[in-house]
Amino acid sequence: MSTKEKQVSYQNTNTYETLNQLTDATKNIWIVFHGIGYLSRYFLNYFDELDTTENYIIAPQAPSKYYLKNQYKYVGASWLTKENTLLETQNVLRYLDAVFANEDLSTDKKLIVFGFSQGVSIATRWVASREIKCNHLVLYAGGLPKELRPEDFRFLAESDTKIDILVGDKDQFLTKDILKSESLRIEELFNGKAQQTIFKGGHEVKRDIIKKIF
């Protein structure tokens, strides 16, 4: 049997969710990337204790949806897999460009980019490839893409961007070896600008951690 993989381009449509209203009183605009197994509307629940007047939250939606635990009841989503990763990454980045353009965000607000778990890989790829000069980059319990290099973040060298790395001390996906290698990679990629915090907890988003940082 002889097979051949071919490729086509076509227009696609995807959704995203927002929380609160964007007004003149808004101080912080968040773009938050959920982890694997989430839908964006549920991921926004972790941000519902932030001041509703000052915070406007945008949650892009991972495109690949599937039934969780093979029960055909609850739906989750994934950003990428190991299959055609480079191609799918470009599709996701174009989708994020469309979300960003659709929101037409004001530059006089503080921009916070937040990635959790698999969302870290999307947040960093988007910030690096589009040179997003956010005020705060938060990478929460996720791995850094192997293809990224220090030069990809060089545009942040002279910026006042704050970079926070958050991991739980009981994260089931984090071994001592992984923590050591990721810590070295964080230092290398961000040239010492990133602050790493290890909190008490597992692979989970904690509202009190979010509020404490911001």
Side-chain angles (χ1 to χ4, degrees):
M1 182 175 67
S2 177
T3 66
K4 182 178 181 180
E5 182 176 73
K6 299 183 178 182
Q7 182 176 310
V8 297
S9 296
Y10 62 97
Q11 185 174 356
N12 195 11
T13 301
N14 195 9
T15 61
Y16 66 98
E17 299 280 334
T18 63
L19 178 65
N20 306 329
Q21 298 295 317
L22 181 60
T23 68
D24 291 340
T26 302
K27 294 182 179 180
N28 306 310
I29 296 173
W30 300 63
I31 301 181
V32 299
F33 297 92
H34 64 78
I36 192 168
Y38 282 88
L39 292 179
S40 56
R41 64 177 176 271
Y42 300 124
F43 190 60
L44 283 177
N45 292 337
Y46 293 113
F47 303 87
D48 61 6
E49 294 183 5
L50 295 173
D51 186 291
T52 58
T53 302
E54 296 183 354
N55 295 278
Y56 178 63
I57 301 100
I58 303 165
Q61 175 61 62
S64 300
K65 301 176 182 67
Y66 59 93
Y67 285 109
L68 298 172
K69 300 179 181 179
N70 293 321
Q71 293 179 353
Y72 303 99
K73 184 176 181 181
Y74 299 109
V75 176
S78 171
W79 289 102
L80 298 168
T81 68
K82 65 181 181 180
E83 182 71 16
N84 284 333
T85 305
L86 293 178
L87 175 64
E88 294 297 337
T89 297
Q90 292 308 309
N91 289 335
V92 168
L93 292 176
R94 284 191 288 269
Y95 158 68
L96 296 176
D97 291 342
V99 171
F100 204 59
N102 192 57
E103 287 294 315
D104 191 24
L105 300 174
S106 172
T107 58
D108 65 346
K109 316 291 186 184
K110 182 178 180 180
L111 179 61
I112 302 166
V113 178
F114 180 104
F116 170 68
S117 192
Q118 192 188 44
V120 168
S121 69
I122 304 303
T124 49
R125 284 177 170 120
W126 182 59
V127 167
S129 65
R130 283 11 182 199
E131 296 194 353
I132 304 295
K133 292 183 178 179
C134 53
N135 299 92
H136 202 165
L137 176 61
V138 185
L139 308 178
Y140 194 130
L144 297 163
K146 294 181 179 179
E147 78 270 14
L148 294 180
R149 297 292 179 264
E151 52 267 30
D152 295 322
F153 296 97
R154 193 166 292 157
F155 70 97
L156 293 178
E158 298 180 359
S159 73
D160 61 354
T161 299
K162 182 181 180 183
I163 304 172
D164 273 303
I165 314 292
L166 305 172
V167 292
D169 63 353
K170 295 181 176 61
D171 192 319
Q172 63 267 37
F173 300 107
L174 188 67
T175 65
K176 289 183 178 180
D177 288 340
I178 291 175
L179 178 59
K180 182 179 179 179
S181 63
E182 283 294 294
S183 296
L184 291 173
R185 188 144 163 71
I186 288 164
E187 184 72 19
E188 176 190 20
L189 282 182
F190 301 111
N191 195 29
K193 288 192 65 170
Q195 175 68 43
Q196 187 174 50
T197 300
I198 299 178
F199 62 87
K200 293 185 180 299
H203 193 77
E204 56 189 321
V205 181
K206 288 192 167 186
R207 289 180 174 87
D208 61 324
I209 297 290
I210 294 174
K211 290 191 293 183
K212 186 182 295 184
I213 290 179
F214 308 106

